[in-house]
Amino acid sequence: MAHRRLKHLLHGLVPAQLPIGVLHLGDISHNVYPAAEPSRLPHTDDLLLDPRDAFNLDNLHFMLQKYLLGQDVFLLSQPGPYARRLALTFCRLINAEYEFVALHRDVGETELKQGREIRSGGNLVYTDSAAVRAVKHGRVLILEGVEKAERGIMPVLNNLLENREMNLDDGTHIVHPHRYSLLDNEGPSAFIPAHKDFRVIAIAAPVPPYPGYPLDPPFRSRFQARFVDPLGSLLALPQPAQGPQSPFFEKLREIIMSTQIASESRNTLDAVAKSTLPAFPQTSLAKAHALVSAFPPPDRLSPDQLARLVLSLHPALIHSPFVAWAMLSHQFEDAGLGELGSPNLSGTEDDAGLLGYRLARIEKVDDHTAHVSFDSPTGATATFTVAAGPHLYLHFPFAHPEMLEFVPSARFMGLLTTLLQAHALGWDISYVPPALPSTASCSTSLLVRTFSAMLGYELEDVHMYKELGGRELIMRRKVEDGGATSWEPSPLIEGAWQGRLVHLSAMDVIGSTAGSLARLVQDREVELWEKKRIVRRLVDGEESSADLSVAHRAFRVISTASKSLPLKDWLSDEHANMFFTVPGQPMSQAEEAHILLQTGCRASVVETLLKFADKYRSSMTSDAVQKNRKLGTRSLLRIACRVAKFPEDDDLHTLLSRALLAEFLPATETMNLQNIFEECGIQRRSPPFNPPPEVRDEGLYFPPRTGPQTRDARATVIPRFDAASDPAGVSHVPHMDHFYDNSLQTGLMRDLAIDFEVLGEHLVLLGNQGVGKNKVVDRLCQLLGRPREYIQLHRDTTVNQLMFQTVLENGVIKYTDSPLLRAISHGRVIIIDEADKAAEHVVAIFRSLAGHGQLTLADGRRVRETKEREGDIVVHPKFRLILLANRPGYPFLGNHFLQVLGDNFCCHAVTNPDMASERKLLSQLAPQLSEDLILRLVAAFQDLRRAYEGGTVTYPYSLRELLNLVRHMQAYPGDSLEVALRNVFDFDVYKPETIAKLADILDHHGLVAKNLGIEAAREAAKKKVFDVKFEPKGDTSLSEPKYGKDDPNNQAHTGGNTWAGGTGGRDTAGLGGRGGYMRLFKGHDIKQIPDALKNDVPDHVKERAREMARQELARRLEELNMSAGEAKGYGALFTAVEGHIAQLHDLLEHLAAREEERVWVKRQTDGELDDSRLTEGLTGEATVYKRRGMAKPEMGRPQLKPKRIRFLFDVSASMYRFQYDGRLKRSMETAVMLMETFDRLTRKEKYVWDIYGHSGDSASIPLVEADQQLEIKDRWKVVDKMEMITQYTFAGDYTLDAIDKAVDEVAKFDADDWFVIAITDANFARYGITAEDLQRAMNRNPKVHTALICIGEGAEVAWIPKNLPGRGYRVANTADIPAVLRSILSTMVDN
């Protein structure tokens, strides 16, 4: 007590700190004191808000009120810099030091409490986080992006917020200052007082409407909330110039403001439909003001110029529904600015940038400054002093455009000018791809490199991948030689210090984590490690130091997207506020033609290619683009190069089919593709014969191909690999003792050799299991003498594992180069097997490696095509990537990885050999088998594969199964065919449809197999393995069939004729006996009586048993309320689609399972050690483990809800009248397929579905209601009702009304996706239905996915697929209806 009194007296003797002034805000006064550490004050004076502005003043007044009350503040603001700058302005006004934490999804306890470091000598030290420093030193703690932090993290601060208390990892405890003053602290104390001036300002976007995690209620309750009016923040952000504004800007300002107000008053229906015009981003007005002030616009802008301006200010409109664009266009017209052009910006040939300005010249001033001049539309010249790099400039105007490595087209120069305009305004840039699913090239990489070269920048490419955390974007862990841990800057921060142009490639894949860079991009400030920070500028008297640095004035960031994700998933308001967005613009057909012709390809071929590409791209829908191949300019260029160098390889049908992987397209997409081939006059040619290759002195020799449609065939010689260039690689050349040459695989080897040896391409080989992907590649490497490395991917493969293996030796982490890095360095081929089994973001790293020869390693090293810096790993010119994977989609259930690779790989579909190739291969493998038997086996397997493609069997039987079957028959000629077949078909014993199909096919080809499936298994077991028979004793006579007694204890009964469900008995219902009328199994072992006794049944007993069986069947049908005829009718419908049911069921089950698929959850306190956090483990952190767990949905994604589906069937009079073509029967079969499939699902709650009909009488006829339980009799009644309605309904058509109603009804349901699939046989001309009518109905609600299957007269309308690309299907053969609907549903729901 005495010690405490003495401490209090001594504290009173300390002279009080004198204020440096008094702050008056309205009715509040506050003494302002000097800062203890001025370097922690705001350094962004030029970005601070104007306190004289009434809106700013009101917010600052509130914050000062809360500060004086000792309360913490929570600012709720739309995404953008306003709230952060408001907090910094407040700190500046009260002269308060501050700490800053940018929250993101990877933030953990370490970032909020204390980190651990190992210093030299092995000493462990604890480093305070920004939050702990703030509470110790009385600073304001600014937490930005609270909505991004996972819900369990922020409560770490709850006690600090509520009681100003926190237990720290170093054993000390922060306590409330009042409590601390009551403690008796004699000597060193573990207690540290929280400073009385410590305050927290949290910043978050409101959730909803913005994406993010909801606030934890206890965390929320500790703050005083302040909603920042979006309109006020829009107007309050600093605008450089004052005085009268141009009329153009004033009108633009009014449109932006009115859009903001309108977006706040949206009604419920609009919110659901998402068709309202979204509000402009927070920085849009500031950007518009800066742009119009620097580049005064002409009196009138063209519609295209206006569209480019609007999309630069509001990039979300690129992917918004067209109705939003139309609403904005009306506003521009009403304001007198003119109408907006198309938001697609495709086909625009204009060399002007924004507002009609054109690039005039670029002149170097010094190592980091340049003058850039633009010519205005009025003839004036605007010159700007801009940041630049120290390297040699690519001179502009171009002295010799023809000598450039690119084509400076009007489109390209317009985009380049726009980039330079944004640069002149001081903004970082985001180049955003178009929303169209498939377009010509937008020249993304070329634009970035040309922009960099024209300003002499050193370009730093940083390739993003999904595993990249917010901290890794800024800094990375490092272990010194002695085991001490430290941090080093990431390439982004290194670029900021050195004044580089940093290209953030594939920015879209890191999702909301990108927001953690907002402060660096917008304010040029960022917190680093251990109190280090980059500030905007140094104030008077400050010098740059280890803890305080400034980003180089020439530093700039340009971000681009991978195009593997839909724009709506990442192009958010936050992204729009960080960057000046430049909307991508694809090449026109003329520009694309010019580039293709430069390859030397014939003009006629180029014309056909472009005609095909235009039709294919316009037919692609957003639903299909994630799985189907885009036909980009690079793919066309690859084909043109191939035809130019090998003119005889001008089979465009084969080349285009290969590029699109047509072999693996869904049935509906295949139909569309064939239509496009026909429209373009591209005919399928008969495949040529490929003689076996030979190894000669000059190289690998492929003899000329022969065939009826083969012209001017020449031999192809591929140079062999020089072993002297890689002596160590000799042991890596594959060796195969046997390879059975055949035409198809020889042709594939020739194509692969040309692609990766002559054209220098990297390859992707896709195919079913067992078609020889690995064998063909290994054989080719063997023939070429090519060393190869090998990596097999799997579910748990990480990016770090692809780069190197991590080893911990004596407390020091060391990295060993992976096979991938060895292949890169030595120029080897690397096989990446099972590429579809790894996560998509892991495979994505191959995109930049194949496209640009670039890779950024986790240890700081870089892979580059040429050595630019010390430590760079140079890509050997002979290095090639070959990715192997199974075909996409069912039944392989791999990831849709192709889209993340882009067009950087040459794709090949590896199929089963044709009949001739397969016969030759098998004849070489099994010369003892007769040619006739081999021919029959090959034909049977060809039919099985066709059955798989047609949906009647569910497994894709491959060459591997046939080879194994033939090997068995060759080795064991005494085994019967059915015994050999068991090797392949025992997997299918419980798939009666497969066994039945197999029996039909074998019989068709004259292959005799008496028993198949389970009968074959039992027959073999009975003959070869055991012969267990039960010999009944006593009376074995038969009286008459009966059911028998049910044993209440369900004991096993053998023999006799008393108990039902026994085995080896007589007369009663059971198994293994004789004389009974029905089989009955009660779970006991089956005892089988001898066949002789079983067959010794008198005729009158057999007849009585049959009669009783008929009576029992009738009784069961009566229970089902079905007649025998009805059961037979339903059975016939069911049998017709049994294979489709199995495939659709497996797909839907897989989707439900995939949603619940477990992933590696990182930062856990137990589980498996996480290689990427070994350094943290050395320092003693607990969260260095990973565990398998449920994947959390991406921030802003809805929690998983059911998918809402409505099927519309045509039950009009014409369906009955013209049923001779099978349309009615096939529709009924399709309904059975749907009812049976959804009834079998284990997770029925995942899909809410119903079936409605439409006829000449009604647009809405309920057939199956949502959540209705259907027994077999109910399903029969549904299809019976369908037929009955067609008999009695009046003529007419309600197709359009039915779609309208279905879309409206489905959209009302709270789901995570909505679908309407309709079937119609309407005669569109007769009922006056136009393409516009159908488009209106099917586009009625943008969130509802619609599809239309036209049969009968509807199938004859050629404009259906053209006007409804990817959603309208003509099905001339009614037998295809079930397959088409299954394909549509599969494609729709699996997106």
Side-chain angles (χ1 to χ4, degrees), residues 544-566:
S544 184
S545 65
D547 288 345
L548 196 67
S549 58
V550 178
H552 196 288
R553 61 186 175 86
F555 166 59
R556 289 294 184 275
V557 176
I558 183 165
S559 78
T560 58
S562 69
K563 306 175 192 172
S564 62
L565 295 171

Side-chain angles (χ1 to χ4, degrees), residues 797-1033:
T797 303
T798 64
V799 172
N800 280 353
Q801 288 170 349
L802 288 178
M803 296 176 180
F804 36 68
Q805 282 117 14
T806 310
V807 181
L808 188 61
E809 291 182 2
N810 301 321
V812 178
I813 295 176
K814 295 183 178 178
Y815 299 105
T816 305
D817 284 352
S818 68
L820 174 62
L821 290 186
R822 289 201 302 269
I824 290 171
S825 302
H826 298 296
R828 297 172 184 166
V829 172
I830 182 160
I831 310 296
I832 309 293
D833 203 0
E834 306 286 4
D836 57 322
K837 300 304 184 286
E840 292 171 26
H841 67 269
V842 174
V843 185
I845 72 161
F846 299 121
R847 178 192 182 108
S848 60
L849 186 57
H852 308 294
Q854 293 187 349
L855 196 62
T856 303
L857 307 185
D859 62 355
R861 291 179 296 165
R862 311 185 318 163
V863 173
R864 291 294 184 269
E865 288 184 322
T866 56
K867 189 165 185 174
E868 300 169 4
R869 293 182 209 148
E870 198 60 38
D872 281 357
I873 300 170
V874 179
V875 179
H876 194 286
K878 286 287 186 180
F879 166 68
R880 295 292 182 272
L881 273 163
I882 300 181
L883 274 59
L884 308 182
N886 290 130
R887 65 184 291 173
Y890 176 87
F892 296 99
L893 313 183
N895 293 313
H896 297 301
F897 74 98
L898 283 174
Q899 290 310 315
V900 302
L901 296 179
D903 270 347
N904 296 313
F905 286 80
C906 181
C907 290
H908 289 263
V910 184
T911 61
N912 288 294
D914 55 81
M915 282 193 67
S917 297
E918 207 161 26
R919 283 177 63 190
K920 183 177 179 184
L921 194 155
L922 294 177
S923 297
Q924 295 175 74
L925 173 68
Q928 284 83 9
L929 292 185
S930 70
E931 283 291 329
D932 179 67
L933 178 58
I934 287 176
L935 175 59
R936 293 174 189 274
L937 287 171
V938 167
F941 267 74
Q942 293 280 341
D943 281 356
L944 277 172
R945 292 162 194 154
R946 278 191 284 271
Y948 169 75
E949 297 297 338
T952 52
V953 298
T954 59
Y955 181 79
Y957 296 95
S958 70
L959 174 63
R960 181 183 294 159
E961 280 88 9
L962 183 53
L963 286 173
N964 289 332
L965 175 63
V966 169
R967 280 196 184 101
H968 183 97
M969 297 175 74
Q970 163 101 342
Y972 304 103
D975 281 355
S976 65
L977 178 62
E978 50 258 45
V979 170
L981 288 171
R982 287 191 60 198
N983 289 275
V984 177
F985 295 99
D986 263 17
F987 288 108
D988 304 308
V989 290
Y990 285 117
K991 293 180 180 175
E993 72 281 357
T994 299
I995 298 300
K997 189 69 178 177
L998 174 64
D1000 290 343
I1001 290 173
L1002 293 176
D1003 183 62
H1004 176 72
H1005 292 288
L1007 293 166
V1008 179
K1010 295 179 181 178
N1011 298 299
L1012 293 170
I1014 199 164
E1015 286 81 7
R1018 286 175 178 161
E1019 186 69 21
K1022 186 166 58 178
K1023 286 181 178 179
K1024 291 189 174 182
V1025 183
F1026 61 87
D1027 191 8
V1028 179
K1029 291 186 178 179
F1030 168 66
E1031 295 283 353
K1033 294 182 178 180

Side-chain angles (χ1 to χ4, degrees), residues 742-772:
N742 59 87
S743 174
L744 185 134
Q745 293 184 337
T746 298
L748 176 61
M749 279 195 285
R750 175 182 177 270
D751 289 335
L752 298 179
I754 288 172
D755 282 338
F756 83 80
E757 290 290 13
V758 179
L759 301 179
E761 299 286 352
H762 300 279
L763 308 178
V764 171
L765 273 65
L766 287 101
N768 292 352
Q769 83 299 336
V771 293

Side-chain angles (χ1 to χ4, degrees), residues 516-587:
S516 61
L517 298 178
R519 184 169 169 237
L520 174 64
V521 172
Q522 292 165 337
D523 299 350
R524 288 296 187 264
E525 294 197 331
V526 69
E527 305 297 318
L528 302 176
W529 58 94
E530 298 181 26
K531 300 193 294 184
K532 294 178 174 58
R533 60 165 43 166
I534 293 177
V535 295
R536 184 173 181 84
R537 60 184 57 178
L538 298 175
V539 297
D540 293 341
E542 284 185 334
E543 292 185 1
S544 184
S545 65
D547 288 345
L548 196 67
S549 58
V550 178
H552 196 288
R553 61 186 175 86
F555 166 59
R556 289 294 184 275
V557 176
I558 183 165
S559 78
T560 58
S562 69
K563 306 175 192 172
S564 62
L565 295 171
L567 293 182
K568 61 183 175 61
D569 285 357
W570 64 274
L571 189 55
S572 60
D573 274 13
E574 184 171 57
H575 187 92
N577 286 314
M578 287 168 61
F579 298 99
F580 192 104
T581 50
V582 176
Q585 190 175 331
M587 292 179 179

Side-chain angles (χ1 to χ4, degrees), residues 141 341 352 413-414 429 494 602 607 677 836 986 1085 1212 1233 1237:
L141 174 63
M413 292 310 302
I429 300 165
E494 194 66 43
R602 298 194 304 273
E607 183 181 352
F677 275 133
D836 57 322
D986 263 17
D1085 291 340
S1212 60
M1233 175 185 77
T1237 299

Side-chain angles (χ1 to χ4, degrees), residues 706-724:
T706 59
Q709 291 181 288
T710 303
R711 303 186 303 269
D712 305 324
R714 297 178 300 173
T716 305
V717 180
I718 309 294
R720 297 190 80 230
F721 185 75
D722 181 9

